[in-house]
Amino acid sequence: MVYLSQHRLSLCKEHYIEWYLKRVESTIREFKMFGRGDKVLVAVSGGKDSLSLWDALCRLGYTADGLYMDLGIGEYSQKSKKACENFAQKKGLRLHVLELKKEIASIPEIKEVERNRPACSLCGLLKRYYMNRFAKEGGYEVIATGHNLDDESATLLSNVLSWNVDYLSRQFPVLLEGDGFVRKVKPLVKFTEKENALYAFLSGIEYIEEECPFSEGASSIEYKKILTQMEEKSPGTKLRFYMDFLRRLHPILQSQEVKLRPCEVCGEPTTAEVCSVCRLKERVIPRLLSSSPSS
C-alpha cells in the first residue's frame, strides 16, 4: 500500500498505476499539450522520470518515439544509453540516438574549453538546440520531456529569488511551436521525483539511479532540498507553489515577447545574428583541433 500525503490517498499497486496514468492524461488535456494524432518525440535520459513518461504515453495510446542524446560523459553516458536501449527493446519502441561528439564535441571536451561556464548550462543549451533540430528533421510535432514537480518548483524558486522576469515568462508546461521551434511539453510537472520513481518501480522499469557527475554542486540541488524540507512540514507545498504561479502570475508575464530570427550560420531560431551554439562551435572546435595529437 502506498500513501500519498499531499493527495491524502492510500493506493495499492494496481490503483497507483491507474491513478498515475489518469493524472498524466489529465495534465496533457488541462494544458492542451497534444492530441492522439500528434507525433511525439520523448527526450529520454535513462532516468526514472523520462522512462516513466515514455512508458505512460505508450500505455495511454499516444504515438511516441524516444530520443537519447549521448553526451559522452564516460561510464555515466554508457549506462544511461544502455538503460534507454533496453527499455525500447523490451517495449518494442523506436529509439533514436544522437551523439553529441559527432555534432560538436563531448561535454567533458567542451568543458575543458569553456572552463568558466557551468556544465549544466552548456548541457541545457546543447540539448535544447539539437532536440529541436532533430524533431523538425524527423517530422515530430511535439517534444516531451520528463521535467517533474521538483525540477519546476526549484527552477521557479531560483527565478523568483533573482526576479528573472524573462525566464519566469517562459516557465510553463507548454512552449508553443513557431519561429522555428517545435512545441515542447512537460506532462510530468505535477509529479514529484518520488512519485515517478514509484511508478517506475511498480511498472518494472529499469533505470539508472546515478546523478550526472557534472551536477555536483549545482544550485538547483540546494533549492530542491529547501523545498523538500518545506514539503515534509506541509505536504502539498511544492504543488501549491508551482500551480499558483501558473494560475496567478504567469498570465501577467505572458506579455513579454522575444524577437527571433534565423541564425545566419545554421538557420535555427535565435535572438542574435549567430546563435549560441554556432558561437560555441567557433570557440570549441578550433581549440580541440589544435590540441589533438595529430595536429
Side-chain angles (χ1 to χ4, degrees):
M1 190 69 70
V2 177
Y3 179 62
L4 305 173
S5 57
Q6 66 272 37
H7 304 293
R8 297 178 183 176
L9 285 174
S10 292
L11 301 168
C12 64
K13 172 183 175 180
E14 179 184 350
H15 288 147
Y16 180 83
I17 292 176
E18 181 182 323
W19 170 83
Y20 186 94
L21 293 173
K22 285 183 177 178
R23 193 166 173 80
V24 172
E25 182 70 78
S26 66
T27 303
I28 292 171
R29 292 183 178 179
E30 178 182 354
F31 294 103
K32 299 180 176 61
M33 293 183 173
F34 48 84
R36 297 287 172 184
D38 289 323
K39 190 178 177 184
V40 182
L41 184 66
V42 183
V44 289
S45 65
K48 59 188 178 303
D49 303 301
S50 59
L51 291 182
S52 291
L53 171 61
W54 197 8
D55 184 82
L57 293 182
C58 292
R59 286 203 199 194
L60 291 168
Y62 292 100
T63 302
D65 296 336
L67 171 64
Y68 174 75
M69 283 190 60
D70 187 342
L71 304 174
I73 308 176
E75 188 178 348
Y76 171 77
S77 287
Q78 293 172 16
K79 288 183 178 180
S80 301
K81 180 181 176 181
K82 189 64 176 176
C84 294
E85 290 174 337
N86 288 343
F87 177 85
Q89 184 177 18
K90 182 179 178 181
K91 299 288 183 178
L93 300 172
R94 186 181 186 187
L95 174 69
H96 304 282
V97 176
L98 188 153
E99 295 184 34
L100 190 60
K101 191 175 181 67
K102 292 182 178 179
E103 303 293 338
I104 171 171
S106 68
I107 289 296
E109 289 173 327
I110 296 172
K111 191 68 180 73
E112 277 298 307
V113 178
E114 300 283 299
R115 296 188 179 185
N116 295 324
R117 187 168 180 179
C120 292
S121 172
L122 290 166
C123 190
L125 168 68
L126 293 167
K127 280 183 176 180
R128 288 190 297 271
Y129 178 91
Y130 286 109
M131 280 194 299
N132 188 70
R133 197 183 74 176
F134 187 93
K136 285 193 297 185
E137 292 174 351
Y140 291 93
E141 290 96 351
V142 183
I143 298 171
T145 63
H147 290 87
N148 58 50
L149 180 59
D150 296 82
D151 298 323
E152 293 301 298
S153 58
T155 299
L156 177 58
L157 178 59
S158 173
N159 289 333
V160 167
L161 290 175
S162 60
W163 287 116
N164 196 324
V165 178
D166 288 339
Y167 284 124
L168 285 169
S169 67
R170 295 195 296 272
Q171 188 172 356
F172 198 72
V174 180
L175 294 178
L176 294 175
E177 66 275 18
D179 294 320
F181 284 114
V182 173
R183 187 187 317 166
K184 297 180 181 66
V185 300
K186 303 173 183 178
L188 300 186
V189 291
K190 291 187 178 182
F191 295 92
T192 63
E193 289 183 2
K194 289 183 179 179
E195 289 167 349
N196 290 332
L198 186 57
Y199 175 81
F201 173 73
L202 296 177
S203 300
I205 297 172
E206 296 180 1
Y207 61 90
I208 63 162
E209 298 186 42
E210 296 96 328
E211 295 289 340
C212 174
F214 283 107
S215 68
E216 186 177 349
S219 58
S220 60
I221 295 176
E222 296 304 314
Y223 292 131
K224 285 183 180 181
K225 288 180 180 178
I226 293 170
L227 288 164
T228 296
Q229 291 174 351
M230 297 173 67
E231 182 75 18
E232 290 173 353
K233 294 180 180 180
S234 180
T237 296
K238 294 177 186 177
L239 189 59
R240 287 194 302 273
F241 176 52
Y242 179 64
M243 293 305 296
D244 281 351
F245 161 74
L246 295 183
R247 293 173 183 139
R248 299 181 182 186
L249 185 57
H250 190 267
I252 300 173
L253 300 174
Q254 281 185 296
S255 59
Q256 301 290 325
E257 293 185 4
V258 179
K259 293 183 178 180
L260 298 172
R261 66 173 82 176
C263 170
E264 293 183 355
V265 178
C266 68
E268 287 295 293
T270 179
T271 55
E273 292 182 359
V274 178
C275 74
S276 299
V277 172
C278 286
R279 294 200 303 271
L280 182 64
K281 283 183 175 182
E282 289 174 0
R283 295 192 302 271
V284 171
I285 293 178
R287 289 279 298 276
L288 292 177
L289 289 175
S290 65
S291 61
S292 63
S294 59
S295 61

